[in-house]
Amino acid sequence: MDWKRTRFETRAIHDGQEPEAATGAMIVPIYQTSTYAQEGINQNRGFDYARTDNPTRSALQTAIASLEGGAWGLAYSSGMAAIQNITYLLSAGDHIVMGDDAYGGTYRLFDKILTRYGIEYSMVDFSDLDELRGALRDTTKMVITETPTNPYLKIVDIRAVADILRGRFHDSPQHSALSTQHSNASRPLLVVDNTFASPYVQQPLAHGADLVAHSATKYLGGHSDVVSGLVVGNDRSVYDTLK
């Protein structure tokens, strides 16, 4: 279904959730298989091993991509797994700018783990755009923020942050590459954690973000019976690396 042509409520209950082909079941089944039959060498029906993809997970990924207005979605075992996978886009010597009210798990990942691998970070108040400008370096490869933030519910102007990054790093030779895998990147990736707003309230990609992350455990999942993480974007090369 074309997400641009239907309302949010329709996409939320239909995209990625077509009736199951074998039986006509209206709810996407939970496929409890680790492997799939191969029709030949490198020939399958879109699935070969459950770690790389699964029909149930694919349905969720299609749905969240539709709701966020992105080209693709990826699902993870938790919100922190999603954030961690995003940081695999970085290399030793890279610099991150993050919010001074970042979720505790995100802060601990950056402070206790990534610094051991030569990745530096700075914390700023994104409500002060001059503070953000002052924190940017030639080695800054990622800017990550939440809005509203967890726990203090600060609001960040996503469009203003995106405009600063595009202006600051436009045609900058120092940013000719995000990493060896992304040689065409010319500025830091803007990552927005949209957990607290949900795609019903805002779609960060429409405001200039490059990637959207969710702890689907919370508002999307109801914070009671499921733990999950999601990432949505438009850049196919970023998708291929994360996948």
Side-chain angles (χ1 to χ4, degrees):
M1 185 178 295
D2 186 350
W3 66 269
K4 295 180 179 179
R5 304 170 85 178
T6 55
R7 294 182 59 176
F8 183 94
E9 295 85 348
T10 301
R11 289 183 276 121
I13 63 173
H14 285 294
D15 280 6
Q17 302 172 72
E18 298 298 325
E20 191 263 336
T23 65
M26 295 300 294
I27 301 299
V28 178
I30 298 173
Y31 288 85
Q32 296 177 299
T33 183
S34 60
T35 56
Y36 299 83
Q38 307 292 301
E39 299 171 354
I41 298 176
N42 293 326
Q43 294 179 354
N44 56 59
R45 302 177 189 177
F47 304 95
D48 56 8
Y49 191 62
R51 175 168 51 79
T52 59
D53 219 339
N54 171 287
T56 312
R57 195 163 91 217
S58 291
L60 173 60
Q61 292 170 164
T62 298
I64 190 60
S66 172
L67 296 182
E68 284 287 6
W72 51 261
L74 288 170
Y76 301 83
S77 59
S78 70
M80 282 311 305
I83 295 295
Q84 182 176 9
N85 192 217
I86 290 172
T87 66
Y88 290 163
L89 296 168
L90 301 168
S91 301
D94 289 348
H95 173 250
I96 305 169
V97 175
M98 63 185 295
D100 63 354
D101 183 28
Y103 174 63
T106 303
Y107 166 76
R108 289 190 292 273
L109 171 65
F110 290 6
D111 184 66
K112 308 299 183 185
I113 305 298
L114 296 187
T115 52
R116 291 163 42 196
Y117 297 92
I119 297 173
E120 299 181 316
Y121 73 92
S122 299
M123 302 183 74
V124 304
D125 180 355
F126 277 91
S127 64
D128 185 339
L129 297 180
D130 287 335
E131 185 175 338
L132 168 62
R133 291 186 183 93
L136 296 172
R137 308 176 187 175
D138 289 339
T139 56
T140 303
K141 300 297 176 62
M142 185 173 292
V143 174
I144 182 167
T145 184
E146 306 162 20
T147 180
T149 63
N150 178 6
Y152 290 115
L153 303 179
K154 292 182 179 180
I155 302 300
V156 176
D157 187 335
I158 300 170
R159 173 61 66 187
V161 174
D163 287 346
I164 287 173
L165 297 183
R166 286 177 171 83
R168 167 74 161 76
F169 294 98
H170 181 64
D171 294 331
S172 170
Q174 293 93 337
H175 278 74
S176 60
L178 171 65
S179 68
T180 56
Q181 296 101 330
H182 306 291
S183 59
N184 61 344
S186 60
R187 57 174 176 77
L189 284 180
L190 175 55
V191 180
V192 176
D193 186 329
N194 201 29
T195 294
F196 269 25
S198 85
Y200 185 75
V201 176
Q202 70 181 4
Q203 296 87 45
L205 296 178
H207 298 289
D210 298 294
L211 293 174
V212 180
H214 285 275
S215 171
T217 310
K218 299 183 175 71
Y219 285 100
L220 285 175
H223 214 190
S224 60
D225 57 3
V226 67
V227 177
S228 179
L230 300 166
V231 174
V232 181
N234 283 312
D235 190 313
R236 181 56 58 171
S237 67
V238 173
Y239 169 85
D240 289 341
T241 301
L242 296 181
K243 186 72 165 62

